[in-house]
Amino acid sequence: MHRKSLVELAADLRAGACSSEELTRASLERIGRLDGRLNSFITVTEQQALDAARAADARLKAGDAGPLTGIPFAHKDIFCTRGVKTSCGSRMLDNFPAPYDATVTRKLLDAGAVMIGKTNMDEFAMGSSNETSFYGPVKNPWDEMRVPGGSSGGSAAAVAARLVPVSTGTDTGGSIRQPAALCGITGIKPTYGRVSRYGMIAFASSLDQGGSFACSAEDAAIMLGAMAGFDERDSTSVDRPVDDYQATLNAPLQGLKIGLPKEYFGEGLDAAVGSAVETALDEYRKLGAELVEISLPNAQLAVPAYYVVAPAECSSNLSRFDGVRFGYRAADPKDLADLYTRSRGEGFGAEVKRRILIGAYALSAGYYDAYYLKAQQIRRLIREDFLKAFEQVDVIMGPTAPSTAFKLGEKADDPVSMYLSDIYTIAANLAGLPAMSIPAGFVEGLPVGLHLIGNYFAEGRLLNAGHQYQQVTDWHRQIPQGFE
Amino acid sequence: MALDAADVEKIAHLARLGINPEDVPEYSRNLSDILAFVEQLNAVDTTGVEPLAHPLEATQRLRADVVSESDERENFQSVAQVTEDGLYLVPQVIE
Amino acid sequence: MMEWETVIGLEIHTQLATNSKIFSGASTTYGAAPNTQACAVDLGMPGVLPVLNAEVVRMAAKFGLATHSTVAPRSVFARKNYFYPDLPKGYQISQFELPIVHGGWLDIELEEGVSKRIGITRAHLEEDAGKSLHEDFHGMTGIDLNRAGTPLLEIVSEPDMRSAKEAVAYMKKIHALVRYLGISDGNMQEGSFRCDANVSVRPKGQQELGTRSELKNINSFRFVEQAINYEVERQIMVIEGGGAVVQETRLYDPGKQETRPMRSKEEANDYRYFPDPDLLPVEIDAAFIEAVRAGLPELPDAKKQRFVEQHGLSEYDAAVLTATRELADYYEAAVTASGGQGKLAANWVMGELSGALNRDDCDITNSPVSAQGLGELLQRINDGTVSGKLAKQVFEAMWNGEGSADAVIESKGLKQISDVSAIEGIIDEVLAGSPKQIEQYRAGQGKLLGYFVGQVMKATQGKANPGQVNELLKKKLDG
């Protein structure tokens, strides 16, 4: 069953070939048997999942089922789920059963999807390797000595290991696409504002965006379609109808103009990864697409700008964790200042603290203009680069990450080198553009991701391009050894 | 821009973030590295460039002035560590 | 001895009278059980987001238009970051660089005919904080977040005031204005209207401002005056004693009638303001502003002018009667009910009515004598049914719930006697009993006319129409 796609499973459910309860039990069984090696789940919600599966079976029987009804999914532990621990990968929220549902949670549950559990992640989504989690690192199913990428490492590993067919993720600087690339699956981050952020624990509000993981673009499209949509509880949510992503999957790519930013193929890119990407691009050429070299002149400024904007926003967003109304509270505080500093000092891990400190510094008196304002100006330049490029091309492609999955611990002591794992993905967040990673081959047994960036609200175009590529390749069907 | 131990302690206080004294040198090194990395932004001339706070540059939507929420104190306080008589408790605040 | 000049600027925080909070759908009703009106957004739960209440934008625009200010076509919410237990998110959503209202003024009346223009630097929208309850919970402080997220308009004046009296006059003017506009209930006991005063002194004639202290959270007109006066004296004493005023935040203690430094605000704050990424810029177009303008009620200054012109009042009376919207509304309703007795109504509202309200510590909105009722009484005075003097008795009876003016006049038999033959009859009786006085009067003691009038009024228990009595007496005596 775990080899089947979401589309196939949905068909089986409708045909009565299997029940949601069977699917759910199968998923739970695989998690029980295999996840000890991966650590991709923080919480497995077995009873809740079985209840939901039975309800889904009833809906299926009643003919009241959508494409996700009865489908098990794994939910990143950043989305609030009422009554279920929502830890955000942090000790700070280890004792936090969310008192309400995120909009995305509500939408998926209302669609009849069966939440199997909450997945491991970098603490407060800050990391590119899943090593900053309070619950320990997630292992890459392709090589358990290596990282799955981050921050949505658990959601990516769980899908790559076929523990669940689909999962949710969030992406602030590459947190869906980079782990998708490192784990050999499909992951899409839509346009900023397309998926509601309500109930998605904030890291950097102007960059955070929810999205989906699946084995194929088609499955990711179905999942995203269920997550997306206007939400009146989110001021930054966009009030426009969600495109039918499935409807456009089969459009031919003849004449599609693909832009290849020369800045994404230069220094810093692993040569073998580069040639795997070239091969994938050849495939697009064969599909009738036209490849054009373009330039994004400010591309190299994306990471430094991001490491001002994201920490600045996070330093403020994370101030609410003070030990008073929820979350970790230091024992026996001697006074108010002690309650604050110890609850936060003991509740947050090192990377979160680093970013809070950088952010507080960048916003502090005397530095605001030099750092925060400057970074926001650069942000506009980066956005303008893209707008100019999209006058010329339909989709921008390149590598998702500069290398394949690195070893656990390899970059843990060097924040800046870790930050550079997101060198190709961050710009899309700064500009708010939709972007996706799809499997595009292997280097020494490790997956390589192809990165696709689209114009605003061109998710359908990206999924179409991904789907067409997956019709002529089978990278996305590869299953890591030991998880077949 | 390098941050020395005193800088780190000052920012940590601003952020009410307890840091073990023995970890301060490492934070100071890490943060200085990050700031050095970020310094490259200064090489760019951004004269006259309007800062971009939101990718979509939309404007604020307004909500009708309607009461839509009801009392959920019990639910919300179930995740708090110390409450009494419906109040959240903190160490004495002196004004 | 050096002469000192006081410089005062006020920051007035007025809660806006919305149904729901500025960024959430929780109720703003005052006095609910602790934390029962604090929803997930107000509590700053992980993952929640703010959405702006349309009404607060409209209310701020109203205030802007009423104070000759610019209503900004684009304003931005920012985060003011600091840690305090009554501030759930660790930041307050406020407006910093681009407030919704800026650059206006209003005039305050200092004494009859003397007014002064006070500049309004800006007015910005922000969320209120919760409350810390310092009663002892085993040495702990209790936090109630019901008030968190209540919309506030912070109105910042220029440092244009030169005395505590001016500051109070300004504060009263703003208080009346927000109530006129219907954007705040102005309830000072409940904290809906409170102010911070920035106070400094400088040698008279000096241009440069002295070092100021900020007096926090004063919630009555009286306390503002006392706190400023105390602070001015304190500062002068410090300087004359060879010291220097320290820039600091101080708290006024009404019990001790003194100000003292606030311990919790001692350390210099670095608020790290930046635009709130959860909220987008607020844009207001000309059509919106015009719609707000069209819906503006008549404002105090315009109303005052109209009272002078339409009702023939003095500037002073008009100012008194327009001091609050409720008083002005009562007055106008009474004028209408009296059939247009503007001057008479002013005398009665400012005289009998105000006296009774004060005496019984009663608010005009709960006055036992309605504007309609008072108007009817004024009509009876005007049409001669009751004398002005006896009308006071009628009013007292009405105040005590003994019925309408007509009913009281009837039941107490206070109807004025205007019938010539009846009055003549009584005059004849009085004259018949006073031959000596008639003699004296006719011998040239004209003053005695008063004596005869008194006798007639006494005989009629005051009910005779005094004008008629006078006239008829003269006719008979001088005949």
Side-chain angles (χ1 to χ4, degrees):
Chain A
M1 244 185 275
H2 62 273
R3 292 175 160 276
K4 289 190 172 174
S5 70
L6 188 161
V7 175
E8 289 162 335
L9 293 172
D12 285 355
L13 285 170
R14 276 155 196 270
C18 68
S19 70
S20 174
E21 189 174 343
E22 285 171 283
L23 284 185
T24 301
R25 285 192 191 281
S27 177
L28 289 167
E29 185 276 326
R30 278 182 71 79
I31 292 167
R33 183 157 50 85
L34 300 168
D35 199 43
R37 285 155 56 185
L38 299 178
N39 193 31
S40 66
F41 281 86
I42 291 172
T43 306
V44 176
T45 49
E46 179 166 349
Q47 197 48 54
Q48 194 176 331
L50 289 169
D51 291 346
R54 288 183 201 111
D57 283 330
R59 273 178 76 172
L60 282 155
K61 216 170 260 167
D64 167 35
L68 278 181
T69 307
I71 302 291
F73 77 100
H75 206 18
K76 187 175 181 180
D77 210 18
I78 198 168
F79 289 101
C80 284
T81 41
R82 187 165 181 149
V84 176
K85 178 162 93 175
T86 301
S87 74
C88 226
S90 181
R91 181 186 194 190
M92 183 58 87
L93 290 178
D94 186 47
N95 60 356
F96 182 66
Y100 74 103
D101 277 330
T103 298
V104 165
T105 304
R106 205 60 260 156
K107 282 176 97 91
L108 289 171
L109 297 183
D110 288 348
V114 175
M115 187 181 84
I116 293 289
K118 306 290 297 285
T119 56
N120 203 346
M121 56 183 283
D122 276 303
E123 185 179 9
F124 283 100
M126 297 174 201
S128 308
S129 68
N130 221 301
E131 292 166 293
T132 71
S133 171
F134 174 62
Y135 301 93
V138 176
K139 318 288 169 51
N140 191 317
W142 293 95
D143 177 349
E144 289 158 36
M145 301 295 285
R146 291 177 186 269
V147 305
S151 67
S152 314
S155 284
V159 169
R162 276 36 176 196
L163 306 182
V164 284
V166 284
S167 62
T168 61
T170 61
D171 190 316
T172 305
S175 281
I176 289 176
R177 293 159 288 151
Q178 185 254 16
L182 270 48
C183 289
I185 60 170
T186 300
I188 181 164
K189 171 202 99 74
T191 306
Y192 180 82
R194 181 71 295 181
V195 168
S196 166
R197 295 188 297 114
Y198 190 80
M200 193 177 104
I201 299 175
F203 159 17
S205 310
S206 75
L207 303 163
D208 294 344
Q209 186 55 206
S212 63
F213 289 103
C215 289
S216 67
E218 184 175 24
D219 289 359
I222 295 169
M223 188 68 170
L224 182 64
M227 296 168 72
F230 173 64
D231 181 8
E232 58 182 22
R233 286 183 181 271
D234 175 359
S235 295
T236 61
S237 172
V238 178
D239 190 1
R240 79 180 243 169
V242 179
D243 296 335
D244 182 347
Y245 301 136
Q246 280 171 278
T248 49
L249 287 174
N250 291 312
L253 299 189
Q254 192 64 44
L256 181 79
K257 277 196 171 174
I258 298 174
L260 307 176
K262 59 176 195 239
E263 293 81 5
Y264 287 1
F265 291 88
E267 203 189 334
L269 175 62
D270 178 276
V273 170
S275 67
V277 168
E278 296 287 355
T279 309
L281 293 171
D282 276 342
E283 216 49 70
Y284 275 100
R285 206 174 273 123
K286 283 185 221 157
L287 286 166
E290 185 189 334
L291 275 56
V292 190
E293 190 188 87
I294 58 165
S295 175
L296 300 170
N298 295 291
Q300 81 288 355
L301 298 174
V303 182
Y306 175 89
Y307 278 96
V308 173
V309 175
E313 292 183 5
C314 107
S315 72
S316 176
N317 281 336
L318 269 58
S319 291
R320 69 191 61 201
F321 300 99
D322 58 6
V324 178
R325 296 162 321 284
F326 42 77
Y328 180 81
R329 180 179 178 113
D332 307 317
K334 66 177 198 302
D335 55 26
L336 185 63
D338 190 45
L339 172 70
Y340 285 155
T341 52
R342 278 204 296 121
S343 296
R344 292 167 60 75
E346 293 163 17
F348 291 136
E351 179 60 20
V352 171
K353 285 189 207 172
R354 267 198 288 273
R355 298 206 194 183
I356 290 175
L357 292 172
I358 283 288
Y361 179 75
L363 290 176
S364 64
Y367 299 102
Y368 178 82
D369 287 7
Y371 289 103
Y372 189 74
L373 218 56
K374 185 85 184 177
Q376 296 287 51
Q377 288 175 314
I378 303 275
R379 194 173 175 183
R380 181 175 297 277
L381 298 181
I382 287 168
R383 179 174 180 263
E384 282 169 1
D385 285 353
F386 278 114
L387 292 179
K388 209 173 283 171
F390 283 120
E391 286 172 11
Q392 230 189 310
V393 300
D394 303 310
V395 178
I396 292 170
M397 291 192 191
T400 306
S403 69
T404 54
F406 46 91
K407 288 211 166 84
L408 285 156
E410 191 181 318
K411 298 184 180 183
D413 295 332
D414 184 355
V416 173
S417 116
M418 182 75 87
Y419 296 170
L420 290 171
S421 321
D422 295 326
I423 189 164
Y424 305 129
T425 49
I426 274 176
N429 298 85
L430 290 170
L433 294 166
M436 179 168 86
S437 180
I438 56 174
F442 289 85
V443 169
E444 293 168 11
L446 295 170
V448 171
L450 177 71
H451 192 215
L452 296 77
I453 305 174
N455 207 339
Y456 293 106
F457 301 102
E459 290 81 10
R461 191 35 112 31
L462 296 182
L463 290 160
N464 162 230
H467 182 67
Q468 289 306 303
Y469 176 80
Q470 288 172 350
Q471 300 312 294
V472 295
T473 56
D474 67 353
W475 306 119
H476 63 292
R477 292 189 209 281
Q478 306 303 310
I479 299 178
Q481 212 173 25
F483 296 92
E484 300 97 334
Chain B
M1 179 86 200
L3 293 186
D4 61 21
D7 294 327
V8 171
E9 279 159 8
K10 204 178 114 200
I11 310 164
H13 174 69
L14 199 57
R16 299 295 187 276
L17 210 48
I19 285 177
N20 293 328
E22 63 267 28
D23 295 337
V24 169
E26 197 191 334
Y27 277 106
S28 148
R29 198 168 52 249
N30 287 158
L31 299 185
S32 299
D33 285 353
I34 297 167
L35 288 176
F37 174 67
V38 162
E39 287 302 299
Q40 49 181 305
L41 297 179
N42 293 329
V44 186
D45 181 11
T46 51
T47 317
V49 179
E50 185 68 21
L52 180 72
H54 278 98
L56 299 181
E57 295 200 284
T59 58
Q60 181 61 36
R61 186 163 33 82
L62 302 177
R63 177 178 64 76
D65 180 26
V66 174
V67 174
S68 57
E69 306 296 314
S70 48
D71 172 22
E72 282 192 69
R73 183 172 82 185
E74 204 177 320
N75 175 32
F76 293 139
Q77 295 201 340
S78 69
V79 296
Q81 302 299 301
V82 189
T83 59
E84 194 174 306
D85 297 341
L87 297 162
Y88 294 100
L89 295 193
V90 298
Q92 197 105 62
V93 178
I94 304 146
E95 286 202 323
Chain C
M1 188 86 167
M2 185 172 289
E3 250 202 279
W4 296 95
E5 182 179 48
T6 304
V7 177
I8 303 159
L10 294 188
E11 292 168 17
I12 294 176
H13 294 80
T14 185
Q15 281 184 0
L16 298 177
T18 52
N19 300 316
S20 64
K21 293 190 177 170
I22 182 167
F23 298 120
S24 82
S27 167
T28 55
T29 312
Y30 180 82
N35 291 308
T36 55
Q37 285 182 175
C39 72
V41 173
D42 308 325
L43 294 171
M45 282 285 164
V48 298
L49 296 170
V51 183
L52 184 61
N53 186 335
E55 194 58 21
V56 303
V57 175
R58 214 175 58 81
M59 288 177 165
K62 268 184 161 181
F63 179 82
L65 293 178
T67 53
H68 322 94
S69 305
T70 303
V71 179
R74 186 169 182 275
S75 63
V76 169
F77 282 98
R79 294 184 181 178
K80 179 182 183 180
N81 294 283
Y82 66 96
F83 287 87
Y84 208 67
D86 63 15
L87 187 71
K89 299 183 296 297
Y91 58 85
Q92 179 192 30
I93 305 177
S94 181
Q95 295 186 310
F96 184 53
E97 280 183 334
L98 296 172
I100 190 159
V101 166
H102 64 91
W105 52 264
L106 52 77
D107 290 335
I108 55 172
E109 279 73 40
L110 298 175
E111 50 199 275
E112 178 79 57
V114 182
S115 71
K116 178 172 179 176
R117 183 154 294 183
I118 306 294
I120 291 171
T121 316
R122 58 185 280 162
H124 64 256
L125 290 167
E126 61 184 25
E127 55 180 346
D128 207 345
K131 278 182 186 163
S132 303
L133 301 164
H134 302 292
E135 296 97 74
D136 204 8
F137 291 94
H138 348 282
M140 309 273 276
T141 291
I143 307 296
D144 174 8
L145 296 172
N146 279 348
R147 198 179 69 178
T150 299
L152 288 179
L153 187 67
E154 178 173 336
I155 304 155
V156 182
S157 82
E158 290 290 310
D160 285 348
M161 286 151 277
R162 294 291 173 271
S163 69
K165 280 225 157 11
E166 290 184 18
V168 172
Y170 167 78
M171 194 175 169
K172 282 188 170 162
K173 188 88 190 233
I174 295 275
H175 187 253
L177 182 63
V178 296
R179 285 158 45 105
Y180 260 90
L181 294 170
I183 63 174
S184 176
D185 65 16
N187 189 321
M188 296 170 92
Q189 277 82 49
E190 293 175 3
S192 305
F193 192 86
R194 51 194 201 263
C195 100
D196 301 342
N198 291 312
V199 180
S200 64
V201 297
R202 62 182 171 192
K204 205 152 196 151
Q206 180 182 301
Q207 276 298 307
E208 195 188 331
L209 290 173
T211 306
R212 66 188 166 88
S213 54
E214 187 179 1
L215 311 180
K216 275 276 179 203
N217 256 327
I218 319 175
N219 66 350
S220 93
F221 298 124
R222 193 156 48 95
F223 292 166
V224 165
E225 186 160 3
Q226 289 172 356
I228 292 173
N229 282 334
Y230 172 86
E231 182 59 19
V232 167
E233 273 179 46
R234 187 191 69 85
Q235 289 187 9
I236 292 172
M237 244 161 60
V238 167
I239 301 170
E240 288 185 342
V245 174
V246 188
Q247 182 162 342
E248 64 185 351
T249 304
R250 299 176 70 90
L251 210 57
Y252 179 64
D253 182 336
K256 295 184 183 156
Q257 298 200 13
E258 61 176 34
T259 66
R260 60 177 161 81
M262 260 176 104
R263 284 176 63 179
S264 57
K265 307 267 173 167
E266 243 171 319
E267 41 187 313
N269 266 309
D270 181 347
Y271 291 124
R272 290 159 288 142
Y273 280 102
F274 75 109
D276 190 328
D278 288 331
L279 290 161
L280 300 163
V282 179
E283 288 197 354
I284 294 179
D285 59 18
F288 178 88
I289 292 183
E290 283 324 304
V292 170
R293 197 192 301 278
L296 279 182
E298 185 182 28
L299 298 175
D301 287 350
K303 198 180 280 275
K304 191 183 108 186
Q305 218 36 57
R306 183 168 62 78
F307 280 15
V308 169
E309 285 156 21
Q310 186 179 333
H311 301 310
L313 303 185
S314 70
E315 288 269 337
Y316 177 80
D317 287 0
V320 170
L321 289 170
T322 53
T324 70
R325 187 174 179 170
E326 290 78 4
L327 183 59
D329 286 351
Y330 184 101
Y331 166 72
E332 287 220 280
V335 172
T336 306
S338 74
Q341 300 299 310
K343 196 81 176 98
L344 188 62
N347 292 339
W348 274 80
V349 169
M350 291 164 65
E352 292 302 304
L353 179 75
S354 292
L357 290 170
N358 268 336
R359 182 190 65 212
D360 292 358
D361 196 17
C362 183
D363 190 87
I364 191 149
T365 53
N366 305 317
S367 169
V369 176
S370 68
Q372 178 68 32
L374 180 63
E376 286 165 13
L377 174 58
L378 300 182
Q379 250 187 30
R380 292 297 161 259
I381 297 171
N382 192 47
D383 65 16
T385 306
V386 68
S387 71
K389 205 160 176 198
L390 288 184
K392 292 182 182 174
Q393 276 185 49
V394 179
F395 179 85
E396 269 314 304
M398 289 168 74
W399 184 268
N400 295 326
E402 293 171 34
S404 70
D406 285 340
V408 171
I409 293 168
E410 184 61 38
S411 69
K412 293 199 183 281
L414 298 174
K415 200 163 173 182
Q416 182 161 270
I417 303 166
S418 303
D419 177 53
V420 175
S421 59
I423 297 176
E424 273 180 338
I426 295 161
I427 289 177
D428 288 343
E429 274 171 41
V430 167
L431 293 182
S434 318
K436 215 168 133 198
Q437 283 83 353
I438 296 173
E439 216 170 286
Q440 288 170 333
Y441 176 84
R442 288 196 174 136
Q445 292 198 39
K447 283 190 300 189
L448 275 170
L449 182 65
Y451 163 80
F452 295 116
V453 173
Q455 290 300 307
V456 175
M457 294 309 281
K458 195 171 163 191
T460 60
Q461 291 152 309
K463 287 183 284 189
N465 183 324
Q468 279 179 323
V469 171
N470 247 299
E471 205 176 304
L472 292 170
L473 264 171
K474 272 191 186 161
K475 219 195 276 176
K476 290 214 180 243
L477 290 165
D478 303 345

